[in-house]
Amino acid sequence: MTTTTRRPRLSDVLYQDMLGQIRSGKLPAESRLPSELELATRFKVSRPIVREALRRLRNEGLIQSRQGAGSFVSASETRDLPIRAMASARTEIDVLPPLQSIEDVRKFYEFRLAVEGESAYWAAINHTPETLKNMRTELKALYDAVRGDQIGVNQDFSFHMAIANASQNQYFEASLLMLKSHLNFLIDLARTFSRSASYSHLQAVQGDHASIFEAIERRDAEGAREAMRKHIINAQQRVFFGRR
């Protein structure tokens, strides 16, 4: 059987372009979008294509229509925008192979070291006040989850996604989204091991995240890369050997 991947439509491309402008702040909250005609002219597409892209943004709550005034970027833009919006743009075909062996898990951690180390590196260089605020918010949410005796899988993933978003490179974000099911499984596994350890041990694990954030905040790109790599190696050690 031959499997084919759906080709992106022009409306998908326009949607991603406008999403990028919203996420980067080129179209800030409460700003008015150009008219359908202006967008069609600017991007050299038909108005139905523009309407389809706007419909997707509207359905996801990223823009809102005001009668007689046009479309505006929503003021209630949430911190999970990259996850929510990019996930909706994925194709129906999931090309990521499953984790079926110990060797698969080892290779997965190798891939994480490469991708997330660089994601942290570029986040240190390219972060903005807004993306830094998002990282700080996600880090606090993770701390709160752990203090509440939760594993914090979703909060952990969201923190890593906030770093990818701060890199200003959509391919780091797309890579993490593709890896989400694998990441959540291994985060769950590693953090479950941590819960059985002492409180001081758990605090040391949480310190990994703080080290990553602090390096990014002070724009120490090399330090951020190394802090992220250390964090992933520590997680791998917990999964394979049950220790930090």
Side-chain angles (χ1 to χ4, degrees):
M1 178 184 295
T2 300
T3 302
T4 59
T5 302
R6 177 178 66 84
R7 295 179 62 187
R9 299 170 297 179
L10 284 178
S11 60
D12 295 334
V13 177
L14 178 57
Y15 162 84
Q16 288 289 352
D17 191 292
M18 297 184 69
L19 173 62
Q21 292 188 49
I22 293 173
R23 192 169 61 231
S24 68
K26 291 181 180 178
L27 287 173
E30 296 286 4
S31 65
R32 182 181 181 279
L33 270 61
S35 68
E36 285 185 8
L37 179 59
E38 290 171 324
L39 288 170
T41 301
R42 177 184 304 178
F43 291 97
K44 296 181 174 60
V45 296
S46 68
R47 292 181 70 173
I49 288 173
V50 171
R51 282 195 288 271
E52 174 62 18
L54 293 177
R55 182 190 65 78
R56 288 185 62 186
L57 293 169
R58 191 175 299 111
N59 287 346
E60 290 170 0
L62 304 178
I63 66 172
Q64 55 185 312
S65 297
R66 298 177 186 173
Q67 189 172 6
S71 296
F72 293 78
V73 177
S74 297
S76 58
E77 183 180 344
T78 60
R79 67 175 184 266
D80 63 341
L81 167 62
I83 300 175
R84 184 163 44 83
M86 289 188 69
S88 70
R90 293 181 63 186
T91 63
E92 293 85 350
I93 304 301
D94 189 350
V95 297
L96 186 67
L99 296 174
Q100 296 181 317
S101 67
I102 295 297
E103 186 60 22
D104 286 346
V105 175
R106 290 187 190 277
K107 290 179 178 178
F108 182 75
Y109 275 113
E110 289 174 3
F111 185 74
R112 283 194 68 190
L113 283 169
V115 172
E116 295 197 68
E118 294 308 299
S119 176
Y121 178 95
W122 288 106
I125 293 174
N126 294 327
H127 73 75
T128 65
E130 183 62 26
T131 57
L132 190 68
K133 178 182 176 182
N134 289 345
M135 281 185 282
R136 185 180 290 109
T137 298
E138 298 296 356
L139 183 61
K140 182 180 183 302
L142 180 53
Y143 283 163
D144 290 345
V146 172
R147 282 196 292 267
D149 199 32
Q150 301 174 38
I151 294 177
V153 173
N154 291 332
Q155 293 87 348
D156 200 319
F157 180 77
S158 293
F159 175 65
H160 285 261
M161 275 299 302
I163 293 171
N165 177 233
S167 75
Q168 304 294 335
N169 186 325
Q170 69 269 33
Y171 297 107
F172 286 131
E173 294 180 81
S175 294
L176 284 195
L177 285 169
M178 183 179 70
L179 301 173
K180 184 176 182 180
S181 62
H182 289 11
L183 278 169
N184 282 354
F185 170 75
L186 291 177
I187 289 170
D188 192 351
L189 189 60
R191 294 182 75 81
T192 297
F193 287 144
S194 296
R195 291 180 81 194
S196 64
S198 67
Y199 180 75
S200 61
H201 176 97
L202 185 57
Q203 288 298 97
V205 174
Q206 290 301 91
D208 283 357
H209 293 102
S211 296
I212 296 166
F213 174 79
E214 289 164 4
I216 291 173
E217 184 178 32
R218 65 176 179 264
R219 297 197 184 276
D220 177 3
E222 293 290 349
R225 175 195 279 148
E226 289 309 307
M228 178 63 81
R229 288 176 61 85
K230 177 185 176 184
H231 169 56
I232 294 170
I233 289 170
N234 286 341
Q236 183 179 13
Q237 292 292 309
R238 289 192 295 277
V239 167
F240 279 96
F241 304 110
R243 65 171 185 264
R244 183 161 174 79

